[in-house]
Amino acid sequence: MALQATSRLAKLSPLRPCLSCRAARARASSTSMAESPLKQAVLTAGSLAAGLSARRRKVGEVTLDPQTADCAQEIRNMLRQDDVSPEVAQDVVRALSAFGKMRILHTQVLNVLRDLPESTWKESFSLSMMVEAISSYAEFQLEDPEFNQVLAGLIVSRGLSDDVEKILEVSSGAVLAPGDQAQQLRRLAESCESPGLQAAVLNAAALRYTKVKDFAKCNEIFEYMAEKELHRGKDLWTPVSYALAKRVGSHVQGSPPLPGMRTPGPKAHKYVRSRNWLKFGAADEKGKEDCLAVEFGTFLGYSAVKMQQQLGDGSRVISFEMDPEVACLALNFIEFVGLSDVIEAPSVLHVNWQLCSIRKEELEPGSVDVVYMDHNQMTYHRDLAQLQQSRTAPPRDLVLLAAECNLMRWRTAKGMVDEKLWDEFVQYVRRGMERAGISNTRENWPDQKWFDAARKLEYQRLDY
C-alpha cells in the first residue's frame, strides 16, 4: 500500500532538477579525470534521461541507443552488492532515477538498492534523494513485501507519512456508490476531446444512475447530451443512448436521430479509433448455468460477454477495470449487447484492487466458479493472494521478469515493438518461467514447423 503511494510522492515533494543533456555532458567531460568510472557511467545515463525530460529525443531512440546499452553494461559490471559506500549508494539512486525516466529495467541497480542497509538510507541520503530513490523504485511496481515494508518505515521515519496519507485517500479510498460514480463520470466527460468518448462516458454515467433507479438524473444526462450548443455543435447520442433511453422510458428527443452517432470521431480513444465502433459480438455458446465469474481487466468487455454467454443463462460476471475511460467504453459495449443486468463492469475511479477484497466480503465462500486474469501482470500474484487469503511472495527472478513484461507492454503501446521482437520476447518469457519451474500444460500450434521455429527465437534484451 505504502509503496503504491510513493509513485506519486514526486508530486508532493520537490526533486532535484535534472541537468540538460549539454550540461550533463559538460560536467562528465570536465570531471572525467577526477570521477570514478562508475560515476562517469551514471552521468552518461543521466544525460540520456535528460534528453527525454527536455523532449529532445523520443524514448524509443534512447532505449535503442548503443550508448544506453554501453553505460548500462558498465554500471552492471562495476556495481557489487556487498560493501557499498555512501558515495556509491548515491550513484545507485541517480542511476535508478535515470533508468526509471528512460523506462528501462536495470536489475543490478535495483538489487543493490534493495540490499542497502537501513543506516545508509537514514545517514547518507538527503530527504530529496530518499524521495527520488523511493519514487523511482516505485515506478517499476515490484512485488517485494519485505522491502516495501522497509520503505514504508523510512517514509514514516523521515516525516513523509502525512503526505502518504493524503495520497492514499485519493489512490485507495472507499468504493464510490453508483450515484457518486455517475457524478465523477460527468466531470470526466467534460475533459474528453473526442465526441465518441464523451458520449460513452455520459452513457456510462446514465447507466450508473439506472443502477440506483434515479431516472430523473438519468434524464438530465440525456437532455444534456441532446443540447448540441453545449458541445460546440457535437451530436452525442449513440445507439447505446437510444437503447438505454428506451429501457428507462425516457421521452427526451435524441440528437442525432436514431440510431445516433455511429463513428467515434477524429480524436477517438486509442482503443476504438481503428475498430468498428460499438460493433462486436460473441458466439452463442452455452455451458454450465448459474455460475459466477470474476474478471480482472474488463478492457472493452468482449471477454466478459464471451464468458457470460458460454457459462449460460443464470450466470453472472463481475469485472474490474482500473482505466476509467476504458471502463466507460466497456459499459457501453455491454449495454449494447443487452447484458448489463448480468455483467457488472464497474468504472473504478481512483480505486485500486482493494475493491477485490471489499467485493469478496459480499460473496459466499466458494461461490466464485471462474477467475479470469487479464490485466496488469505485475499484480497477478497480489490479486490472486487476495482471493485465496494468502500472501506468499513470488521468487525474485519472476518479480523482475514481470517488470520486464510490464515495460514491454508499455513499449508496444508506444510503437517501439514490432511483431518479430514480440515473438522473440514471448520465448524469452517462456524460458524465464521454465527456469522458475513453470511450464505450459498444453501446446496448440497449427503446424509443427512453426513450433520448432518459435523455439529457436532469441530475444536481445531492451533491459539489463
Side-chain angles (χ1 to χ4, degrees):
M1 176 71 70
L3 185 59
Q4 289 176 341
T6 58
S7 62
R8 300 181 182 85
L9 272 175
K11 297 180 182 178
L12 298 176
S13 301
L15 299 181
R16 176 173 43 80
C18 295
L19 297 172
S20 68
C21 288
R22 185 177 301 173
R25 289 195 183 98
R27 178 185 171 192
S29 176
S30 64
T31 60
S32 60
M33 297 300 294
E35 304 287 12
S36 68
L38 174 61
K39 190 173 292 294
Q40 290 181 45
V42 170
L43 287 173
T44 300
S47 69
L48 290 165
L52 291 175
S53 300
R55 298 188 176 180
R56 294 191 179 95
R57 303 183 71 189
K58 295 181 179 179
V59 65
E61 296 173 345
V62 174
T63 301
L64 303 176
D65 191 332
Q67 191 178 18
T68 302
D70 289 343
C71 76
Q73 193 59 47
E74 286 181 36
I75 293 172
R76 185 183 185 90
N77 293 338
M78 288 181 285
L79 270 184
R80 297 291 180 267
Q81 290 178 242
D82 54 337
D83 193 24
V84 177
S85 67
E87 292 76 16
V88 171
Q90 293 173 12
D91 285 336
V92 167
V93 172
R94 296 186 182 102
L96 178 65
S97 176
F99 287 114
K101 291 181 177 71
M102 293 187 281
R103 300 301 294 269
I104 292 173
L105 183 80
H106 197 299
T107 55
Q108 185 71 357
V109 168
L110 286 166
N111 288 337
V112 171
L113 183 81
R114 184 189 187 280
D115 291 340
L116 291 177
E118 283 193 53
S119 59
T120 299
W121 285 89
K122 293 178 179 179
E123 299 169 8
S124 303
F125 291 162
S126 63
L127 182 61
S128 62
M129 180 162 282
M130 178 182 289
V131 171
E132 185 169 8
I134 296 175
S135 58
S136 298
Y137 175 84
E139 287 290 337
F140 297 103
Q141 305 175 35
L142 298 177
E143 179 75 5
D144 191 340
E146 182 180 347
F147 183 52
N148 294 351
Q149 190 63 38
V150 171
L151 295 181
L154 290 167
I155 289 171
V156 173
S157 68
R158 295 301 292 265
L160 293 172
S161 55
D162 290 341
D163 287 343
V164 172
E165 287 196 11
K166 292 176 184 176
I167 298 169
L168 292 178
E169 289 175 5
V170 175
S171 65
S172 58
V175 180
L176 297 175
D180 295 328
Q181 285 191 21
Q183 293 180 16
Q184 288 213 18
L185 289 171
R186 293 182 69 170
R187 288 193 289 270
L188 175 65
E190 296 174 2
S191 64
C192 298
E193 294 185 32
S194 161
L197 179 58
Q198 186 177 21
V201 173
L202 288 169
N203 284 335
L207 278 164
R208 285 311 186 206
Y209 282 130
T210 65
K211 289 287 186 183
V212 294
K213 300 188 183 305
D214 192 338
F215 301 120
K217 289 285 183 65
C218 190
N219 275 320
E220 282 183 17
I221 291 180
F222 291 143
E223 291 171 353
Y224 173 77
M225 295 174 71
E227 292 290 336
K228 292 178 61 173
E229 61 270 18
L230 295 177
H231 322 296
R232 299 186 292 277
K234 299 174 184 175
D235 290 319
L236 293 186
W237 274 54
T238 71
V240 173
S241 310
Y242 279 100
L244 183 58
K246 181 179 180 180
R247 181 150 69 89
V248 300
S250 174
H251 300 290
V252 179
Q253 185 69 34
S255 175
L258 186 75
M261 177 173 52
R262 303 187 71 135
T263 57
K267 294 183 179 179
H269 194 280
K270 60 185 177 182
Y271 294 132
V272 298
R273 64 170 68 113
S274 62
R275 301 168 185 262
N276 287 330
W277 197 54
L278 294 183
K279 295 178 183 178
F280 78 103
D284 189 20
E285 300 171 344
K286 298 295 182 181
K288 179 183 175 183
E289 296 184 357
D290 301 324
C291 281
L292 174 60
V294 173
E295 176 186 44
F296 290 81
T298 311
F299 195 49
L300 297 183
Y302 179 78
S303 55
V305 169
K306 288 285 287 186
M307 279 193 291
Q308 196 283 329
Q309 292 193 337
Q310 185 163 353
L311 291 173
D313 297 334
S315 63
R316 287 194 305 133
V317 177
I318 299 174
S319 188
F320 299 95
E321 175 56 56
M322 287 297 292
D323 186 325
E325 291 184 355
V326 173
C328 289
L329 291 168
L331 286 166
N332 279 256
F333 296 152
I334 292 167
E335 172 67 19
F336 189 66
V337 296
L339 294 176
S340 291
D341 292 337
V342 290
I343 298 177
E344 184 177 340
S347 175
V348 185
L349 300 174
H350 307 299
V351 180
N352 65 20
W353 293 113
Q354 280 192 326
L355 180 62
C356 172
S357 294
I358 296 171
R359 291 305 310 271
K360 186 176 67 175
E361 299 302 322
E362 302 173 6
L363 303 172
E364 293 293 329
S367 61
V368 176
D369 299 285
V370 178
V371 176
Y372 178 52
M373 292 189 167
D374 188 23
H375 56 305
N376 185 345
Q377 303 98 321
M378 301 294 293
T379 65
Y380 279 9
H381 177 79
R382 183 173 67 234
D383 300 329
L384 183 60
Q386 288 190 38
L387 291 172
Q388 297 177 328
Q389 295 183 332
S390 63
R391 190 61 177 166
T392 303
R396 179 72 173 174
D397 287 345
L398 281 184
V399 169
L400 296 173
L401 183 63
E404 285 195 73
C405 291
N406 210 37
L407 288 170
M408 184 60 73
R409 183 174 61 174
W410 179 84
R411 291 167 186 148
T412 302
K414 294 292 184 181
M416 297 168 56
V417 181
D418 58 21
E419 186 175 352
K420 180 176 180 295
L421 183 60
W422 185 259
D423 289 343
E424 293 168 350
F425 182 71
V426 167
Q427 297 304 315
Y428 168 77
V429 172
R430 176 185 61 80
R431 295 181 186 112
M433 294 178 70
E434 287 178 348
R435 285 193 295 271
I438 302 172
S439 59
N440 292 336
T441 56
R442 180 180 179 185
E443 296 282 359
N444 185 16
W445 291 80
D447 195 308
Q448 182 65 30
K449 67 180 181 181
W450 297 350
F451 174 85
D452 296 336
R455 289 299 189 265
K456 295 177 182 178
L457 293 175
E458 294 291 339
Y459 169 65
Q460 298 296 318
R461 292 183 68 193
L462 299 179
D463 298 284
Y464 305 93

